[in-house]
Amino acid sequence: MIRMTVNGRTVDLDAKPHERLCDLLRRALGLYGVRVSCSEGECGSCTVIMDDEPVTSCLVLAMQAEGREIVTIEGLGNEDNLHPIQEAFIEEQGFQCAFCTPGFIMAAKAFLDENPDPTEAEAAMAMSGNICRCGAYPYIVQSVMNAAARLREGGSVSNTG
Amino acid sequence: MIRQFDYLRPDSIDAAITMKSRHGERARYWAGGTDLMLQWRRGEVMVDHCIDLTHLTGLDGIEAFPGEIRIGAMATLDDLDRATSMHPVMEALGDTARLMCTKQTRTLATVGGNMCNASPGADLSPLFVALESHCLIQGPNGRREVSMEDFLTGVNTTDLGAEELLCTIVVPVPQARREASYRRVARTVVDIALVSAAVSLTADAGTVTDARIALGSVAPIPVRVTEGEKVLAGRSLDDIGAGHLEEAAGHAATVARPISDVRAGAGYRARMCPVLVRRALADALGRLGGHEG
Amino acid sequence: MAAATEAAGHRSAWRVAGKGIPVKDAREKVTGSLKYAVDLEVQGMVHGKILRSPHAHARIISIDTTRAEALPGVLGVVTHHDTPQNVWENAWFNYRGKILDGIARFHGDDMAAVAAVSEDVAEAALELIDVEYEVLDAVFDPEAAMQPEAPQVREEGNLRDPYVVKWGDVTKGAEEADFIVETEIRFASQQMAPLGRNACIAEWNGDRVTLWTSSQTPSELRDGIHEAFGIPLSRVRVIALPSGSSFGNWWSANFMLITALLARKVRKPVKIELSNEECMATVKRRHIEISRGRMGCRNDGTLTLAEFDHIIDNGGYGFKDDVGFFCVDNWGRAEHGHYAIHGVNTNLLTAGCMRAVGDVTLGSVVERVADMCAIRLGMDPVEFRLKNQIKPGERLRMQHSRQYMKGSLEQYLEGIPEEDRQAWPKLFHLSSGSTDEILRKGAEAFDWSSKWKGWGVPYAVDGPRRRAVGVGTGAHVCGVEFEGNVSAVVRINPDGSAKVHCAVGRQGQGSETTQAQVAAEELGIPFDKVEIETGDTDSCPWSHGSLASNTMYRVGWATRAAASDAKRQLLDIAGREFFDSPRHELDVVDGVICSRDPNKRNIRITVEEALNHFRGTDALGQASSITGRPQGPMPPASTFARHFAAHFADVEVDIETGEIKLLDFLATQDSGTIMNPQVMKNQMIGGAICGAGFAIYEALSFDDDGRILNANLLDYKLLRAADFPLRGEVIYGDSYDPVGPFGARSAGEAPAAASGPAIAQAVYNAVGTWVDMPMTPENVVTALDTLH
């Protein structure tokens, strides 16, 4: 049994020694928003936040996460109560198939926590740790800029157009 | 075969070394694991015991000492990126770290892991070589030092003994001004270098006292361009002209021994060496106040 | 057809069509709650893994599964010995073969499969299957495979009959030309690199099978299961789930059929989940294509001749003889033309339709040769396109549909009811849209006239860096009817809500939203009361699915026709029961039935009231729900409808290293009415990025044994956010289609075809020579050598 904090709750989980964090989160906690695609740290779909830093959870052993604080997309907001970043992604339509979207949103969260007032170029570089095969990039960057503005205004979720 | 391993978590360097001694060849030190995880999953590396170093303390600092900066082997690439203000050479290291992989991987990947993986395409190794860095190693029989040039011995091989652990990478920072630059050709904004060049130039009282040039991705290990270094060493900054950079860079083509692979052809790699060396030299020279920068 | 008489001016009255409504599943998408096939589980399911061939071409001499079956946790193994030997086909000849037949036709081909209690056990069991192969000679080069003495990949032979489109007389075309230019280009293969992977779950109940998988083509997959297993269509149910990015990868795939085979063998639900490497190395890819072609031109800039010979490699199981190459139409003003396409099998991974198939490749060759003409003339490439590209009403050169018509065109038309025929556009002529308007609007918005400095002339030089602009165009079809016509069902429920049933894909192109918009607009029912089922073949009538840019044009037509039929029934009831009026005097606005008759203005009946009128009070009354469906066939779209893109690129090339940076990019598009601009802009830019990736980096690399070396995202390079300009602006043409729903046509493929040529031309203008795709740093430097 290992103990960690996932989305604000302390959980004891029965992880296999060689299990990846992404697999544990999906298998043991049903957190299917942790998406696994390339399994080699390239696409960023499985991005979660571990101790305030974004990580590709396909490269992390579950055991390495013991004692850490993990936040997944499910910890950010839900369909009835969206996080401002999620609102922004909807407003700018920063996705198509959206398989990659939770990863982008978690990367955006970690980025905006560190840089609340980025330039477009900084946002584009920050979003380059993830791949959107559908190619929504300009709108993903607009979503991040939109989210930054919302968060600076105190997390307002109003539709600012 | 079902791939699995036992997980071990040492609480000290000594304990890690003892575990490695006990479990032998298929016990692996696991740092950031960003390379090892993939190699293990692909079946390229066999692991019976994972000795996880991520919970160890004291190996992840980046600290300035008189005449040198010590980078703990467990410092992440992201830590390197955050340490750029410590010294101009750290700026080059931080810039390089940002090129290497995604933010999500920089958070995990360690400097020591990157060196121990010893990929011919590694971005940091030519820069560490150009910065005349050395490694502090600990093993069952105590501690030792080895230069980065000697630490890297081949494709995915190093000078480390079976049970030894790379603890620290030491980057000297001389009294005189030293500037470094790393240039590479890559495809997308996140990529492995197709070919790269790292330089460091040290200047005292307007004269280049030390020049180091190393090429990456053109041989199993970083290649020094010693003939090129000689062109610049001892020359006054004001004297160095475009011709000298061209001449120094020209020597790069003769020492590169690249291969062709899925990323680029040998001919292209060889051809880029002088271009990148010239540009990297111009960067460093410019920061030192030379004309051709 | 009512739409034919609608003017574009009606757009302002629309309440739902043309609006940038967030997609229906937006909240699910941003919270990660949307489920793809990889996320799905069913009770009692076990896991399957596929044994893959280590040879590119081999025959199984013996296969012994004893050791595998003895492994604890293994439930069963299937080989070609337990496989029905029926041939199944994927849509549009993208796959033709048996599920397993003991022959490997490419490295990684499916040879057997194991079901076990876990993926780990199944994988371990694969290593315990003992196979003895007879290794056969293999052929990898498409041109070598065309030779009669080449190893034969298939029993039908390697070479398909050439597919030829011709008009006029090429000899005359050459004579009429003042000059002729020609070129030859060989394309590497692009991989869909489907982020999101895929999985399939199959479960048999008695002799009925249900499949859950991510697919763009639920109906076609159902048909494939029916063919392979020889069971009636009524016993097959496919429930297609949303997929990750697909680009044509997730139609029907053999692994889905293997899942069904395994599930039947072990009598339990089985899930096969593909790894990323399997997705990239064992399903599908774009063809390797080789083009040779020439164009003749007069000194006034009029093209007289277009003559192209094009080879496509189908890999192991593709069976295409043509690619949809609508560049032929776009550049079809030349009086004389001859295009020949040769499909050929090789021992490489199966190739098939990837986004804008043919138009990404042959299209960029035609654009290149046309540009070479313009270079000879010193003519602006925008002007040259305006002069030589098709306009509405002009003749289409592609004659696909003619092959499939019964008898001659006249005989075909005689079979169509007079009133339908009257309403149809003229067949084999372009019904609406072209590149004309968008080229003009785009050039203005891009400030083309000041950045264009002439052929091979950069607008800025900074040391080794050269900056220049380029323009490219692309066209593609709006669905094809060859494999069956589309249908849809729209049901109005007793509470006044409505449900659309249409078989399309949900690979991110927003079909669940745009189809619902079509239905809501037609019905007059608020958008949020219209829901949609796109994947269940038990409730959705047959449709080709989301391929060949079929969704908005053809399925959208069917959805609108079904909604119109449902509304007709509703208004008949309302007219009789409440208004004492014929239905043409009535309309539905925001879910309320009202009359145009001034004397009946005060009667307002909600849809809910109308349908509940019969409940309880009149048990013998009409049904309490209304089901609408199209009352006639959709006209053959491929004979008159196309969609068009024009892209503008601004690039910087480092002539020492060969690196290309995209500085600015503008996409323009003519797709008729834009049903949803929020959905559309992503389709446009996403298509541009797909084409740009192919133009610069994307290429599968094969070793000498036909094995893919870069079936991973480390070395198969996909563009990232900072690699593509952030402009994101898209400019639309104002055309209005006479057939498509509310004037809309299709959208998603032409953009993938237009961006590569725009970038290639910009690179030419920067460095003064053409660079073949992919324009990697190395290939740029090599091309520059030819200048010296």
Side-chain angles (χ1 to χ4, degrees), chain C residues 48-55 60 62-65 68 76-80 99-104 106-115 122-133 254-255 258 262 272 274 278 282:
Chain C
K49 287 279 177 191
I50 297 171
L51 180 71
R52 304 198 170 279
S53 169
H55 308 290
I60 291 179
S62 70
I63 182 162
D64 183 350
T65 60
V77 183
V78 291
T79 71
H80 57 289
I99 306 176
L100 298 171
D101 68 357
I103 298 174
F106 65 88
H107 193 288
D109 197 357
D110 313 323
M111 305 315 293
V114 177
E123 191 145 353
L126 292 181
E127 293 174 29
L128 301 175
I129 299 175
D130 299 302
V131 191
E132 193 186 340
Y133 289 100
N254 200 48
F255 92 91
I258 292 175
L262 263 183
I272 293 182
L274 298 185
E278 286 179 300
T282 71

Side-chain angles (χ1 to χ4, degrees), chain C residues 550-565:
Chain C
N550 186 61
T551 312
M552 177 46 69
Y553 200 64
R554 298 184 67 242
V555 181
W557 178 93
T559 295
R560 185 180 188 190
S564 169
D565 183 50

